[in-house]
Amino acid sequence: MKILKDSIERAIIDNDPSRMVFRFSKDEGHTKSFGYEWTKYSRTYSDAQLGVAVSMAHMEAVLGFPAEFLKGMNVIEIGCGAGRFTEIFADYTKHVVATDLSRAVYVNAAMGRPNVTLIQADLLDIPELSEPIDLVFCRGVIQHTVNPHQSLKRIFDYCRPGGLVIFDVYKKYWWDKFNFKYFWRPFFKRLVPMEKFDQFINRHDEFLYKTHHAYLKIVARIPIFRVIIGKTPFYFGVNWEKQYKHLTHKQRLEIFKNELVDTFYAEYDQPMTRNEIIYTLAEIGQIPYSHDVFRNYFRYKKSENSKQIRVQITKNGIFQI
């Protein structure tokens, strides 16, 4: 697939012309923390490294259909990071264009694959491509942009009419200001450099991991206490023992460290409610054909209509009124 807009430069990795990234941004902008994170923990979630289909299962949950259905598609993955999903797309699609503003794109796991094009670019300024895109996939990205409403609308511009636009956005809750992540993040970002924090958790990873899970077990013994403390900054409820019981302890420990770094250092983190997302995209004439209320996964078939519409949200679906 050809890029129809000149890039700032073409970065060739390890003097191998097949390992190339097209640059359309001078720097990482607000994604520096993700550049550090996904360069340091570039293969934490790689199915090829884990030997277990963790990323495949996650990707199919977001897509809402099996990966086999991607056959023959041109896909653009917005916010590809180190390529945990890119390498799967490369196995199934005709072509995948993987983009990211951060430097993580330079360690993408699918680099060098003949049906993969890697681009460093802002979500709002991805270059024009020579072939129409059948699927836009954007997972774990929208809430980390400067303006999530603008970003949501923009990703539809990269898809052909009738193509699929599938994404997620962190779900907004009324107690978010008391959430462990949102409460403590300003403190860590202001007082503890990310590199220093990463060094600390790598020195004390076993102790931190065991202490965290021991705390979860204590809290779980008193259900009402768990409910109350769960809405305070003193409870981080992720249980890696249960969530990844099919992995080895070493693999779980690596995910634990990765997610701790991820928790505290994002420049922007702006969750949205289901209604905010649906009403935002109704402004450009789009209605989801499927969505997961619990995880805020959304699946759209792009309508040729781009004029604002009114919608009604019901338990039986979303309708134009």
Side-chain angles (χ1 to χ4, degrees), residues 123-124 142 144-153 268 270:
L123 177 154
L124 300 176
I142 298 297
H144 296 309
T145 59
V146 178
N147 187 329
H149 295 267
Q150 181 186 19
S151 299
L152 279 175
K153 295 176 183 178
Y268 297 102
Q270 305 174 82

Side-chain angles (χ1 to χ4, degrees), residues 148-270:
H149 295 267
Q150 181 186 19
S151 299
L152 279 175
K153 295 176 183 178
R154 182 60 172 150
I155 64 175
F156 279 77
D157 293 337
Y158 304 122
C159 187
R160 66 169 176 81
L164 302 178
V165 180
I166 298 177
F167 60 89
D168 72 340
V169 184
Y170 288 174
K171 190 173 182 179
K172 183 191 292 185
Y173 295 96
W174 65 264
W175 62 83
D176 276 347
K177 63 182 178 180
F178 303 111
N179 178 282
F180 178 87
K181 173 175 67 172
Y182 296 118
F183 184 88
W184 294 109
R185 179 178 287 161
F187 167 81
F188 278 90
K189 285 174 63 177
R190 189 179 303 114
L191 299 178
V192 186
M194 174 183 263
E195 293 82 358
K196 294 291 185 183
F197 178 73
D198 188 36
Q199 291 170 8
F200 173 81
I201 62 175
N202 272 276
R203 283 197 303 269
H204 306 286
D205 50 3
E206 286 285 358
F207 172 77
L208 293 169
Y209 185 87
K210 291 177 181 178
T211 301
H212 171 76
H213 285 87
Y215 177 64
L216 291 182
K217 289 179 181 178
I218 293 171
V219 172
R221 291 175 182 171
I222 310 174
I224 187 64
F225 182 55
R226 157 64 181 95
V227 172
I228 295 172
I229 201 171
K231 303 295 187 296
T232 74
F234 305 104
Y235 185 74
F236 188 39
V238 183
N239 189 324
W240 288 273
E241 291 288 322
K242 288 185 177 180
Q243 190 170 340
Y244 298 107
K245 60 175 126 182
H246 49 303
L247 299 183
T248 66
H249 174 71
K250 182 179 179 180
Q251 290 171 333
R252 289 196 296 268
L253 196 62
E254 192 71 5
I255 291 174
F256 168 73
K257 292 184 289 186
N258 186 169
E259 293 191 7
L260 280 185
V261 172
D262 186 80
T263 293
F264 294 119
Y265 290 95
E267 182 68 22
Y268 297 102
D269 193 339
Q270 305 174 82

Side-chain angles (χ1 to χ4, degrees), residues 23-80:
R23 288 192 62 208
F24 287 85
S25 176
K26 294 181 179 179
D27 57 51
E28 297 179 282
H30 63 274
T31 67
K32 287 182 180 179
S33 65
F34 294 111
Y36 175 89
E37 174 188 348
W38 294 116
T39 300
K40 174 70 180 291
Y41 297 96
S42 61
R43 300 294 176 264
T44 301
Y45 292 100
S46 170
D47 287 354
Q49 295 293 319
L50 293 174
V52 181
V54 170
S55 291
M56 171 69 90
H58 192 158
M59 190 180 87
E60 290 186 328
V62 180
L63 287 173
F65 56 78
E68 286 85 354
F69 291 4
L70 295 166
K71 185 177 180 181
M73 287 189 180
N74 286 323
V75 173
I76 185 166
E77 181 190 1
I78 299 175
C80 63

